[in-house]
Amino acid sequence: MISVNLSATFYLISGILFILALRGLSSPETSRQGNLLGIMGMLIAVIVTFLSVGNFSISLAYVLLSLVLGGSIGAYIAFRIPMTAMPELVAGFHSLVGLAAVFVAIAAFLNPIAFNLGDVGSIKLASLIEMSIGASVGAITFSGSIIAFLKLKGVMSGSPITFKGQHYLNLLFGISIFLLVYFLCKSQSSTLFWIIILISFLIGVLLIIPIGGADMPVVISMLNSYSGWAAAGIGFTLENTALIITGALVGSSGAILSYIMCKSMNRSFFNVILGGFGGEATDDATKKNVEKKPVKSGNAEDAAFLMKNASSVIIVPGYGMAVAQAQHALREMVDKLKKQDIKVSYAIHPVAGRMPGHMNVLLAEANVPYDEVFELEDINNDFANSDVAFVIGANDVTNPIAKTDPNSPIFGMPVLDVEKCKSVLFVKRSLSPGYAGVDNELFYKENTLMLFADAKKKMTEDIVKNLD
């Protein structure tokens, strides 16, 4: 068994590696190194925790079985999951972190002696508060992540689910949690402890159902933060330094990311959490208007002709590119354009796809040079001076209505100014609205040519052939 001081030293090293990992993940160029540092930190933390188990001979088999079983399931899912399903996978993993926090809190409450927290009915006050908060946040994270998973998977509608008095009910439940924790500390009643957990599960559902599709990327990062704080709370209960450090890092980084995303979308963080943005436009009148509007459509030959005669092209990738797995064909197309001395760059919206960094990862997968990829604020002014914008699967992030219609659920969200290009090539299967459920005005602009086809097999690859 490893000594307490040695454990603390290795946990500190592990925490430093986690911090360096976060720093590495802040840039695509250092992300691989960041991942490796994070893996090293976690490996050290697991080994030290392994060696710190008190009754080692008895616990070893259970710990090993759990590691092998959980690791095998995780590896199987990770290998099989497509990049398009990564957002719901992350939501699913967040739910497991929350559930783990709840289970640890329950174990500590039912058997405090095993955790050196006192006896049943006389648990240390600080430990009782910590496990109550950890269990509550964990339960909220679990049920909220399940709802997010169902919405992202399409099992549940992406439109907001609201009802009268919803915010007041959430407020009532929130106040109830604090009151119940107070009375739990007074009485240490197991009934109150279970009620706290049940109400927290309900709060998680009520917090996420009113949030619509346009704001789901924020929800993912927010739940990431919740899972971190839940882990940190349980870390205090277990007196585990590594868990406290890791949980605090995840919680704070998730909160900062949520803030940055809200700022990028021109959203109030509290409005995203409490309001119902991003609903699906389903009324018949809207659908009829869409059908009546004239659009110009073209084919791969038309697109190739426009790009071959351009001096600059800006690529705008979106979720549709991810679904079609068209990034490699896109890279081939860009390589041919560059051979003809055509300047090509990529424009990435902060919430393109359904998860932060989704498009960056896909482009990196196709070995797209980092210096050709630009964020919205760095490239938006270039659209007015570019000949062609090639929009492949992006929708809401290019919709001009975000700047003109105060009644739109995406109003105020910064969008890529692709309509300012001389020509816009828009690859899409149909005129259906994006994830926010809003019809895109860009489809009907005079300078837009719609390319109705699969982003990879029926369009990008055909464009590549016509560029020869």
Side-chain angles (χ1 to χ4, degrees):
M1 179 176 173
I2 194 169
S3 68
V4 175
N5 290 336
L6 199 55
S7 294
T9 302
F10 279 113
Y11 281 149
L12 181 60
I13 294 172
S14 178
I16 292 171
L17 288 171
F18 290 144
I19 293 171
L20 293 174
L22 282 176
R23 183 181 179 183
L25 291 171
S26 64
S27 169
E29 296 178 352
T30 57
S31 60
R32 290 182 183 274
Q33 182 183 356
N35 267 323
L36 288 174
L37 291 171
I39 291 169
M40 288 170 58
M42 185 55 68
L43 186 61
I44 291 172
V46 170
I47 292 173
V48 173
T49 304
F50 205 62
L51 297 175
S52 300
V53 177
N55 204 342
F56 193 72
S57 59
I58 297 175
S59 305
L60 179 62
Y62 294 111
V63 175
L64 276 175
L65 179 62
S66 299
L67 284 174
V68 171
L69 183 61
S72 300
I73 294 173
Y76 176 78
I77 293 173
F79 276 116
R80 288 186 59 84
I81 202 76
M83 268 302 299
T84 50
M86 195 59 67
E88 50 258 48
L89 175 67
V90 172
F93 281 167
H94 288 163
S95 72
L96 296 179
V97 175
L99 190 60
V102 173
F103 283 160
V104 172
I106 292 172
F109 184 80
L110 297 178
N111 190 12
I113 298 174
F115 296 87
N116 297 317
L117 304 178
D119 297 319
V120 176
S122 59
I123 299 172
K124 298 174 187 177
L125 179 61
S127 298
L128 193 60
I129 294 173
E130 290 160 5
M131 71 174 70
S132 299
I133 294 174
S136 179
V137 177
I140 291 171
T141 304
F142 173 74
S143 56
S145 297
I146 292 298
I147 297 299
F149 174 86
L150 294 175
K151 285 197 172 194
L152 289 166
K153 192 71 174 174
V155 176
M156 178 182 289
S157 171
S159 60
I161 301 173
T162 58
F163 53 86
K164 190 175 181 180
Q166 189 171 26
H167 299 330
Y168 293 107
L169 182 61
N170 290 344
L171 179 63
L172 177 63
F173 281 143
I175 294 172
S176 299
I177 291 292
F178 286 103
L179 291 175
L180 287 168
V181 171
Y182 173 77
F183 287 115
L184 174 65
C185 293
K186 288 282 187 181
S187 65
Q188 303 216 5
S189 167
S190 60
T191 302
L192 292 179
F193 183 74
W194 290 111
I195 292 174
I196 289 172
I197 293 176
L198 289 174
I199 292 178
S200 298
F201 279 132
L202 185 57
I203 290 175
V205 174
L206 292 173
L207 280 177
I208 305 304
I209 59 172
I211 302 175
D215 294 315
M216 287 312 293
V218 181
V219 172
I220 294 174
S221 61
M222 178 192 71
L223 291 170
N224 178 50
S225 178
Y226 285 179
S227 67
W229 296 125
I234 294 303
F236 280 106
T237 301
L238 300 178
E239 297 181 351
N240 186 297
T241 308
L243 197 54
I244 295 170
I245 293 173
T246 307
L249 284 172
V250 173
S252 55
S253 60
I256 292 169
L257 179 60
S258 298
Y259 171 77
I260 292 172
M261 292 180 67
C262 284
K263 189 177 179 181
S264 299
M265 297 170 68
N266 198 24
R267 295 282 199 233
S268 161
F269 181 74
F270 290 104
N271 280 344
V272 171
I273 303 305
L274 300 175
F277 292 104
E280 294 177 350
T282 55
D283 59 275
D284 294 334
T286 302
K287 292 178 181 178
K288 288 178 181 177
N289 289 336
V290 171
E291 292 169 2
K292 289 179 181 178
K293 292 179 182 178
V295 296
K296 292 193 297 182
S297 62
N299 53 36
E301 292 181 10
D302 300 325
F305 175 80
L306 285 171
M307 284 193 277
K308 280 193 292 187
N309 288 280
S311 60
S312 61
V313 175
I314 298 179
I315 311 292
V316 182
Y319 187 70
M321 184 195 77
V323 172
Q325 288 290 290
Q327 61 269 30
H328 296 284
L330 183 65
R331 168 68 194 273
E332 187 181 352
M333 182 190 83
V334 170
D335 286 344
K336 288 200 173 186
L337 290 173
K338 288 194 290 187
K339 285 180 181 178
Q340 300 180 35
D341 295 325
I342 299 170
K343 180 186 176 184
V344 183
S345 50
Y346 297 80
I348 306 293
H349 192 279
V351 293
R354 296 184 184 177
M355 196 171 94
H358 202 171
M359 294 301 108
N360 301 75
V361 172
L362 287 171
L363 294 178
E365 192 179 86
N367 295 316
V368 172
Y370 299 127
D371 59 358
E372 294 178 5
V373 182
F374 298 90
E375 300 295 331
L376 178 145
E377 61 271 14
D378 298 321
I379 200 171
N380 230 13
N381 292 330
D382 295 347
F383 282 104
N385 302 315
S386 295
D387 295 311
V388 176
F390 185 74
V391 184
I392 178 166
N395 203 329
D396 297 325
V397 298
T398 63
N399 196 340
I401 203 171
K403 298 178 285 186
T404 58
D405 186 1
N407 297 317
S408 170
I410 63 171
F411 179 71
M413 182 179 82
V415 293
L416 293 162
D417 295 330
V418 294
E419 78 276 8
K420 293 182 180 179
C421 271
K422 292 178 183 177
S423 299
V424 178
L425 302 174
F426 207 119
V427 182
K428 206 172 184 299
R429 288 178 180 273
S430 67
L431 292 175
S432 60
Y435 197 58
V438 183
D439 187 31
N440 194 340
E441 284 190 349
L442 185 61
F443 298 163
Y444 316 106
K445 295 285 185 179
E446 185 65 28
N447 60 332
T448 299
L449 186 69
M450 297 299 298
L451 306 173
F452 295 113
D454 177 90
K456 179 185 177 183
K457 295 180 180 178
K458 298 293 184 181
M459 188 51 62
T460 309
E461 290 178 351
D462 286 349
I463 293 175
V464 171
K465 294 175 184 177
N466 282 279
L467 286 174
D468 293 326

